[in-house]
Amino acid sequence: MPIKLTPSDALLLVDVQNDFCPGGALAVADGDAVVPVLNAWIESARQGGAKVFASRDWHPPDHVSFAERGGLWPPHCVQNTPGAAFHVDLELPEDAVVVSKADQADHEAYSAFDSGDLAEQLGAAGIRRLWVGGLATDYCVKASALDGTQIPGLDVHVIINAIRAVDVSPGDGEAALDAMREAGAILEDAAPA
Ligand code: VGL
Ligand code: ZN
């Protein structure tokens, strides 16, 4: 059954940014493949009156996640650089809410719930189902979905054909799926209506 979105649904597009796509500083294999899938969900959200949130990794140039500060990653998604921009083909609605995260130099944050007030915004809008897609499965998608499952009254649906993993170690993406499922997230392979 195709999924019909309503005003009590929200779409969370996680970090669909150039640096996580092929050619980017922290490219996820096939990362840009999520874009057309998410565009279909965005269109469904528009038709059904669902809210759209788009998170972005938004690091200062000296962020603690970068290798030169002892972190795991090459510099990526530095604020106001082309690598931090959303993928050009992502059809973000005018009224999408952009959620910037990991924007404090000394604090790593993978979850879209970590910086700002996403949980409060979902509550205030009466959101009952959160549909999550984007990059990367084993980091920011996982962390965001896990945090979402902690919110009373919110069902988290992870759109499995709209996510891709970094897979620093082979199997990380699969392990992330297991972790999300065990936490109560629904791994969804249906298409939007
Ligand atoms: C992410 C690694 C480092 C992500 C962000 O968006 O999944 N991964 N920073
Ligand atoms: Zn990052």
Side-chain angles (χ1 to χ4, degrees):
M1 277 285 281
I3 307 291
K4 220 168 147 37
L5 298 183
T6 73
S8 62
D9 287 295
L11 199 52
L12 175 59
L13 313 171
V14 177
D15 301 6
V16 187
Q17 292 169 275
N18 290 325
D19 271 342
F20 297 123
C21 291
L26 181 37
V28 174
D30 220 17
D32 53 350
V34 306
V35 173
V37 182
L38 290 174
N39 282 341
W41 284 87
I42 290 168
E43 175 57 19
S44 177
R46 198 187 62 74
Q47 286 183 11
K51 311 264 168 324
V52 178
F53 295 85
S55 72
R56 62 180 179 183
D57 213 26
W58 197 243
H59 297 314
D62 58 345
H63 193 257
V64 68
S65 73
F66 300 165
E68 58 250 39
R69 287 211 50 205
L72 284 177
W73 310 109
H76 64 277
C77 296
V78 174
Q79 294 170 6
N80 300 304
T81 63
F86 291 118
H87 190 288
V88 66
D89 294 332
L90 186 68
E91 292 164 0
L92 266 192
E94 292 269 304
D95 60 352
V97 176
V98 174
V99 178
S100 299
K101 64 180 175 58
D103 56 351
Q104 302 298 311
D106 296 329
H107 178 63
E108 179 59 297
Y110 291 127
S111 169
F113 289 95
D114 196 281
S115 321
D117 62 349
L118 178 57
E120 289 73 17
Q121 291 196 62
L122 296 176
I127 302 302
R128 310 290 300 273
R129 297 192 296 187
L130 183 66
W131 300 84
V132 183
L135 305 169
T137 307
D138 34 359
Y139 290 91
C140 291
V141 170
K142 178 177 90 172
S144 301
L146 293 181
D147 278 352
T149 63
Q150 298 304 304
I151 298 176
L154 186 70
D155 290 334
V156 176
H157 296 252
V158 178
I159 308 167
I160 54 175
N161 63 341
I163 58 178
R164 290 294 184 279
V166 182
D167 274 335
V168 170
S169 301
D172 285 356
E174 284 302 319
L177 293 180
D178 291 342
M180 291 188 279
R181 191 189 296 108
E182 278 161 25
I186 297 148
L187 304 186
E188 190 70 67
D189 63 3

